């Protein structure tokens, strides 16, 4: 039966490390599903692992979420009516829920030691019993006897009573369809450990039930937990949410994505210079599609069109080249001014080529022109620094040795540079534009009896320092007449005759 309640979804990371690609995609799907259904997106910090959960990691997760633009409606910093939104602040709620189940006879204390449990399991295996889980040794203990042992300080866990006549547990999964689990294979699982902490399968159900979660969208590595969680929902008398288990992300080698495949955390991609919109766009496509063909899905379209029935049950492969292509497409969609303000200038400042703050070295039009030639050549933001550095090196540009060997060191290079300097010197300062520069140089290779490759290779290295540079006319315009001619003059002195 469809859940008619107002859509409420949650992303509940454990702050045991950085937010990785798989978790980021889960967050994106929850956010997009909430937005597409005019629902509520909740961020909850599942920090019940005290040995690995840290406040520093929580802040890393919050920063990653903010960078991706996944704004949450309830949770840390946002507040809400269903808090607290950190599990460590909800311990009393778990204790109260467990005590409620105890009073109703739906949970019971278990005094079996780890040694006893191991011996029982070994005996069941030796007998080839069809059921080899917990043997329910303490299930029917007299309540008075159990209380006496608790009062005496004997260690115990709390276990949920799985109804012995419970039929198959069917998970109505929005991605995988109905998935059936044999209830007879479910043991009376622990909901509270002997150290007084709740287990994941209990705490997450209490949280989701109390927060009114209608849809649980998470990785399919949690699918095996779901029948136990359904048992907990039923014991608590809470509505069972709709589950949607999304497939794992694989590396190019077909194995689960991990460090061996390169960067895996959100902040690594941020620091590498990817755009948040492009990153979110690409991760959304790892298991979901708008129409099977469209690869550029802007954030507003994702938030409007996302649906679980377009999520694939098959694993997805993370392809860095596709991420690069999408990132580049987002750059190409920018105007020159937007690229300049969002990408070029911040990177030039970060690299120390421009002042960290205050006035820039050139007029806006200069950066717009530079943006127009760098935009098609930029995959990630830091690329602009290497391609623009030659513009900031004064009259004596740093020469790439290999480029010099292949161009300026070749016979005839000096004549090429001299001819170029003479032709360019005839252009007045007011006419120093790419079109006039290209026109002045265009006829020279034929006149000098050489190929365009040899001629322009020598001139490019002389002016830009490298045989691989942005278009020559625009590069010389950006350099300015005086600096360009000074560099050519210098190159004449080191070029081969």
């Amino acid at each position: 039966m469809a859940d008619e309640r107002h859509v409420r979804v949650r992303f509940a990371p454990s702050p045991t490390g950085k937010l990785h690609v798989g978790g980021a995609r889960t967050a994106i799907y929850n956010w997009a599903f909430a937005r597409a259904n005019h629902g509520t997106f909740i961020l909850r910090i599942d920090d019940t692992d005290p040995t690995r959960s840290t406040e520093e990691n929580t802040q890393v997760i919050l920063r990653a979420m903010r960078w991706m633009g996944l704004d949450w409606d309830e949770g840390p910093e946002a507040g809400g009516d269903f808090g607290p939104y950190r599990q460590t602040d909800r311990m009393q709620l778990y204790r109260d829920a467990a005590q409620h189940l105890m009073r109703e006879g739906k949970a019971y204390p278990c005094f079996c030691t780890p040694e006893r449990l191991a011996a029982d399991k070994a005996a069941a295996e030796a007998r080839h019993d069809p059921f080899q889980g917990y043997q329910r040794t303490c299930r029917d203990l007299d309540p008075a006897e159990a209380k006496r042992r608790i009062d005496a300080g004997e260690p115990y866990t709390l276990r949920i009573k799985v109804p012995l006549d419970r039929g198959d547990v069917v998970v109505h999964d929005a991605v995988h369809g109905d998935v059936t689990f044999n209830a007879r294979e479910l043991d009376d699982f622990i909901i509270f450990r002997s150290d007084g902490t709740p287990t994941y399968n209990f705490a997450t159900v209490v949280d989701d039930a109390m927060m009114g979660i209608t849809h649980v969208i998470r990785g399919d590595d949690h699918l095996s937990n779901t029948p136990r969680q359904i048992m907990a929902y039923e014991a608590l008398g809470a509505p069972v949410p709709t589950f949607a288990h999304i497939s794992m992300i694989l590396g190019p080698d077909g194995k689960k994505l991990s460090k061996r495949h390169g960067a895996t955390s959100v902040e690594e991609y941020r620091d590498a210079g990817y755009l948040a919109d492009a990153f979110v766009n690409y991760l959304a496509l790892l298991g979901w599609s708008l129409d099977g063909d469209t690869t550029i899905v802007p954030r507003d379209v994702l938030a409007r069109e996302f649906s679980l029935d377009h999520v694939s049950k098959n694993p997805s492969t993370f392809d860095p080249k596709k991420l690069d292509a999408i990132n580049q497409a987002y750059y190409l969609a920018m105007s020159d001014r937007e690229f300049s303000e969002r990408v070029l200038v911040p990177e030039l400042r970060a690299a120390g080529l421009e002042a960290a703050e205050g006035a820039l070295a050139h007029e806006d039009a200069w950066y717009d022109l530079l943006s127009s030639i760098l935009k098609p050549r930029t995959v990630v933001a830091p690329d602009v620094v290497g391609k623009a550095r030659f513009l900031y090196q004064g009259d004596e540009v740093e020469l790439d040795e290999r480029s010099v060997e292949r161009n300026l060191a070749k016979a005839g290079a000096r004549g090429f540079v001299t001819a170029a300097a003479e032709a360019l010197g005839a252009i007045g300062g007011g006419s120093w534009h790419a079109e006039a520069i290209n026109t002045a140089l265009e006829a020279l290779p034929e006149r000098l009896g050489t190929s365009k490759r040899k001629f322009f290779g020598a001139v490019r290295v002389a002016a830009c320092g490298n045989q691989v540079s942005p278009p020559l006319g625009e590069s010389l315009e950006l350099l300015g007449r005086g600096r360009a001619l000074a560099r050519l003059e210098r190159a004449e002195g080191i070029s081969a005759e």
Side-chain angles (χ1 to χ4, degrees):
M1 181 182 293
D3 196 326
E4 300 297 331
R5 294 178 293 167
H6 170 81
V7 166
R8 289 176 59 82
V9 295
R10 50 63 166 184
F11 175 56
S14 297
T16 55
K18 296 179 179 180
L19 181 58
H20 291 99
V21 165
R25 183 190 59 171
T26 299
I28 291 166
Y29 283 10
N30 276 280
W31 174 86
F33 185 76
R35 296 292 172 260
N37 289 279
H38 310 289
T40 301
F41 175 51
I42 299 161
L43 177 61
R44 187 177 73 224
I45 304 300
D46 284 7
D47 57 353
T48 51
D49 183 345
T51 60
R52 299 173 59 210
S53 297
T54 67
E55 178 58 26
E56 180 183 355
N57 287 336
T58 297
Q59 293 306 316
V60 167
I61 290 169
L62 297 184
R63 282 199 304 271
M65 293 286 287
R66 284 193 291 266
W67 176 73
M68 289 190 292
L70 304 182
D71 54 315
W72 54 96
D73 306 303
E74 297 177 21
E77 300 177 355
D81 296 333
F82 296 84
Y85 293 95
R86 297 173 188 249
Q87 286 191 328
T88 47
D89 296 331
R90 298 176 62 83
M91 287 299 176
Q92 190 58 48
L93 298 173
Y94 308 138
R95 295 188 194 102
D96 292 346
Q99 288 302 315
H100 172 74
L101 294 183
M102 289 266 286
R103 286 194 299 272
E104 292 199 339
K106 295 177 180 178
Y108 61 91
C110 171
F111 301 93
C112 295
T113 64
E115 294 76 17
R116 170 67 186 273
L117 294 173
D120 286 350
K121 181 175 177 59
E125 289 175 349
R127 294 191 301 269
H128 302 290
D129 288 355
F131 177 76
Q132 297 177 0
Y134 171 62
Q135 299 295 301
R136 300 187 169 98
T137 307
C138 299
R139 180 174 173 126
D140 297 318
L141 270 181
D142 179 70
E145 168 72 5
K147 184 176 185 306
R148 184 190 65 74
R149 295 173 70 173
I150 290 172
D151 291 344
E154 190 172 340
Y156 68 97
T157 60
L158 289 183
R159 292 181 180 270
I160 206 161
K161 269 188 182 178
V162 173
L164 298 179
D165 58 352
R166 176 64 163 85
D168 288 341
V169 180
V170 181
V171 179
H172 303 294
D173 194 280
V175 174
H176 294 272
D178 286 356
V179 182
T180 301
F181 293 87
N182 186 342
R184 290 182 295 280
E185 295 177 2
L186 292 177
D187 58 9
D188 290 355
F189 56 93
I190 294 173
I191 59 173
F192 253 83
R193 304 180 187 92
S194 58
D195 64 1
T197 60
T199 59
Y200 166 77
N201 281 328
F202 187 62
T204 196
V205 168
V206 172
D207 288 341
D208 288 347
M210 296 187 74
M211 292 181 180
I213 300 302
T214 60
H215 296 74
V216 174
I217 304 169
R218 59 189 181 185
D220 63 6
D221 53 326
H222 286 288
L223 183 56
S224 60
N225 291 324
T226 308
R228 287 183 172 81
Q229 292 176 9
I230 289 176
M231 293 286 94
Y233 280 109
E234 291 178 354
L236 291 168
V240 177
T242 297
F243 290 96
H245 289 94
I246 53 180
S247 61
M248 69 173 60
I249 300 175
L250 306 178
D253 59 0
K255 296 180 179 178
K256 187 176 180 180
L257 190 68
S258 67
K259 275 288 185 186
R260 68 176 176 274
H261 297 112
T264 58
S265 76
V266 171
E267 289 193 323
E268 285 178 283
Y269 286 97
R270 179 202 65 189
D271 295 343
Y274 289 92
L275 291 165
D277 285 346
F279 186 70
V280 168
N281 185 154
Y282 178 65
L283 290 194
L285 296 177
L286 292 178
W288 172 85
S289 68
L290 182 64
D291 52 23
D293 297 312
T294 305
T295 56
I296 303 303
V297 184
R299 185 181 298 269
D300 60 331
V301 175
L302 176 65
R304 186 174 65 248
E305 302 293 340
F306 183 86
S307 64
L308 293 174
D309 56 2
H310 280 205
V311 175
S312 171
K313 67 176 72 172
N314 299 316
S316 305
T317 300
F318 190 95
D319 185 344
K321 291 182 179 178
K322 287 184 180 178
L323 172 59
D324 287 349
I326 288 176
N327 203 57
Q328 195 163 27
Y330 272 80
Y331 287 141
L332 291 172
M334 292 181 183
S335 67
D336 294 340
R337 178 58 52 87
E338 183 185 4
F339 185 86
S340 174
E341 292 176 349
R342 290 185 56 190
V343 183
L344 177 63
V345 170
E347 289 295 327
L348 294 178
R349 286 190 190 276
L353 298 180
E354 291 279 352
E357 54 187 28
L360 294 169
H362 303 277
E363 299 293 326
D364 287 347
W366 190 89
Y367 299 98
D368 291 347
L369 174 58
L370 181 54
S371 290
S372 73
I373 61 175
L374 292 189
K375 209 167 38 172
R377 296 165 174 79
T378 302
V379 175
V380 289
D383 291 349
V384 301
V385 174
K387 292 176 169 61
R389 191 178 296 279
F390 76 96
L391 296 169
Y392 290 84
Q393 292 180 334
D395 291 350
E396 295 195 1
V397 65
E398 183 179 322
L399 296 170
D400 173 63
E401 289 185 17
R402 192 173 183 186
S403 297
V404 169
E405 289 174 9
R406 292 184 171 186
N407 296 275
L408 293 181
K410 297 293 185 180
R414 183 176 300 176
F416 304 158
V417 174
T418 299
E422 291 174 355
L424 295 175
I427 301 174
S431 302
W432 189 261
H433 300 293
E435 188 175 353
I437 291 168
N438 288 331
T439 299
L441 297 176
E442 191 174 357
L444 294 183
E446 185 176 349
R447 198 181 85 196
L448 295 169
T450 189
S451 68
K452 287 185 177 182
R453 185 185 62 79
K454 290 180 179 179
F455 172 79
F456 284 107
V459 176
R460 184 183 298 277
V461 174
C464 305
N466 198 304
Q467 64 189 20
V468 180
S469 72
L472 185 58
E474 285 82 356
S475 295
L476 294 176
E477 178 180 343
L478 290 164
L479 276 173
R481 184 176 184 276
R483 180 156 290 169
L485 293 175
R487 290 186 179 184
L488 292 175
E489 182 180 342
R490 175 200 175 206
E492 285 183 77
I494 61 172
S495 301
E497 292 189 22

